[in-house]
């Protein structure tokens, strides 16, 4: 991935750098205390070589003239903790290909991610790291439905869903309906006296059961719902390539 845009605010001598683009070569020019070093420091803290270097501290890092008001307002919860640095990275072909192999075509709204960090802390008192991966959930649903050979009736109903929750719920209802149909068909078959006819009816009842393909889609949709897909993509595919 390549750095594309940076925005730094409420950090040392910088109140708001405004968002600016990074091309192949970037040169920061300005007088002393204008914030050149501060921008680079803030950017470094997104992915520091030394883990402890990645924390932002209100007392040491917030603009001194406003730090007392900031602390009071965050304690009173009249404002949220500031995001100090936000960086947009453009994804490169190998990363996009790995995402495509795992989740299918066109699951990202755009080929870039936004990562950020600020003064908010986790339970271990480390600055929280945020990664925004622009996942298109409808595309994931479409890929799941199209990549499995579902029975036509099931496929048609599944294709109407635009998110994983509704897809999983639809497939669960369909599974329950089919299970009920199989039970009823078997009960009717068992009432047939002729052994050959009974065997044929029982065999026919099995065709009413949920297909293995439908079960696989339902299982996959349920698994994906248990995780934040965007953050999962970040953790498993993108985080190792963050500069």
């Amino acid at each position: 991935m390549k750095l594309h845009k940076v925005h730094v605010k409420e950090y040392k001598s910088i109140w708001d750098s405004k968002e600016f683009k990074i091309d192949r070569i970037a040169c920061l020019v300005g007088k002393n205390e204008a914030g050149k070093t501060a921008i680079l420091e803030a950017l470094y803290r997104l992915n520091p070589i030394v883990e402890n270097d990645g924390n932002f501290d209100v007392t040491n890092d917030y603009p001194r003239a406003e730090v007392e008001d900031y602390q009071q307002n965050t304690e009173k919860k009249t404002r949220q903790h500031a995001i100090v640095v936000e960086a947009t990275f453009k994804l490169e072909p190998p990363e996009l290909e790995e995402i495509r192999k795992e989740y299918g075509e066109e699951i990202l709204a755009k080929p870039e991610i936004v990562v950020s960090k600020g003064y908010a802390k986790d339970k271990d008192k480390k600055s929280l790291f945020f990664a925004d991966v622009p996942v298109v959930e409808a595309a994931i649903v479409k890929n799941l439905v199209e990549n499995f050979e579902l029975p036509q009736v099931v496929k048609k109903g599944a294709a109407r869903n635009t998110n994983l929750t509704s897809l999983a719920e639809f497939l669960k209802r369909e599974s329950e309906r089919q299970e009920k149909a199989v039970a009823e068909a078997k009960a009717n078959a068992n009432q047939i006296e002729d052994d050959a006819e009974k065997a044929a009816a029982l065999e026919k009842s099995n065709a009413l059961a949920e297909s293995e393909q439908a079960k696989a889609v339902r299982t996959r949709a349920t698994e994906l719902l248990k995780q934040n897909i965007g953050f999962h993509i970040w953790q498993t595919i993108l985080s190792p390539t963050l500069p």
Side-chain angles (χ1 to χ4, degrees):
M1 65 179 72
K2 292 183 178 179
L3 183 60
H4 177 50
K5 292 185 288 188
V6 176
H7 189 184
V8 177
K9 60 183 181 180
E10 297 177 68
Y11 177 65
K12 294 191 174 180
S13 60
I14 300 172
W15 188 247
D16 191 339
S17 72
K18 304 300 181 182
E19 184 178 77
F20 60 94
K21 294 183 179 181
I22 304 291
D23 294 318
R24 293 180 62 185
I25 300 175
C27 180
L28 296 177
V29 178
K31 61 183 181 180
N32 291 345
E33 301 300 320
K36 302 184 298 297
T37 301
I39 286 175
L40 296 177
E41 284 179 352
L43 190 57
Y44 167 70
R45 292 191 192 190
L46 280 174
N47 190 26
I49 296 173
V50 179
E51 185 179 358
N52 288 337
D53 289 347
N55 293 321
F56 288 101
D57 180 76
V58 172
T59 302
N60 296 324
D61 296 330
Y62 199 84
R64 294 188 182 278
E66 302 290 338
V67 65
E68 188 174 342
D69 288 342
Y70 175 86
Q71 289 175 320
Q72 290 179 355
N73 290 333
T74 52
E75 287 173 4
K76 293 176 183 176
K77 300 186 185 302
T78 57
R79 70 156 292 174
Q80 298 292 320
H81 279 291
I83 293 294
V84 174
V85 56
E86 182 178 273
T88 301
F89 290 87
K90 286 189 173 181
L91 302 181
E92 297 185 278
E95 297 155 340
L96 294 171
E97 177 62 15
E98 194 168 349
I99 293 172
R100 187 197 65 77
K101 285 181 179 178
E102 180 67 21
Y103 296 97
E105 302 287 349
E106 299 179 346
I107 76 144
L108 297 182
K110 48 189 174 181
E112 62 184 38
I113 62 166
V114 178
V115 297
S116 58
K117 188 183 283 188
Y119 296 110
K121 298 288 198 295
D122 61 18
K123 58 185 176 71
D124 296 319
K125 297 184 178 180
K126 294 181 179 179
S127 293
L128 289 171
F129 178 92
F130 302 95
D132 181 12
V133 181
V135 172
V136 180
E137 195 168 334
I140 295 178
V141 171
K142 180 182 177 183
N143 293 331
L144 280 175
V145 174
E146 291 184 350
N147 292 338
F148 286 84
E149 295 181 3
L150 298 173
Q152 196 58 37
V153 174
V154 177
K155 186 172 185 176
K156 186 176 180 180
R160 297 192 186 102
N161 297 279
T162 57
N163 60 70
L164 289 167
T165 298
S166 62
L167 176 64
E169 290 174 349
F170 166 79
L171 292 173
K172 181 181 179 182
R173 290 195 304 270
E174 193 64 19
S175 174
E176 292 171 348
R177 182 190 66 77
Q178 291 173 302
E179 185 178 348
K180 183 178 179 180
V182 170
E184 291 176 351
K186 286 186 175 181
N188 292 332
N190 286 323
Q191 293 178 6
I192 298 174
E193 294 183 359
D194 183 86
D195 289 342
E197 290 182 9
K198 179 187 289 187
L202 287 172
E203 181 66 25
K204 189 176 180 179
S205 70
N206 291 328
L208 300 174
E210 180 183 30
S211 72
E212 290 302 316
Q213 293 288 304
K215 188 180 295 184
V217 175
R218 180 163 56 85
T219 299
R220 179 61 170 158
T222 302
E223 289 174 349
L224 291 173
L225 279 171
K226 292 178 181 178
Q227 61 194 22
N228 180 306
I229 299 173
F231 197 67
H232 189 258
I233 290 174
W234 164 254
Q235 286 183 311
T236 58
I237 298 175
L238 300 177
S239 64
T241 65
L242 181 67

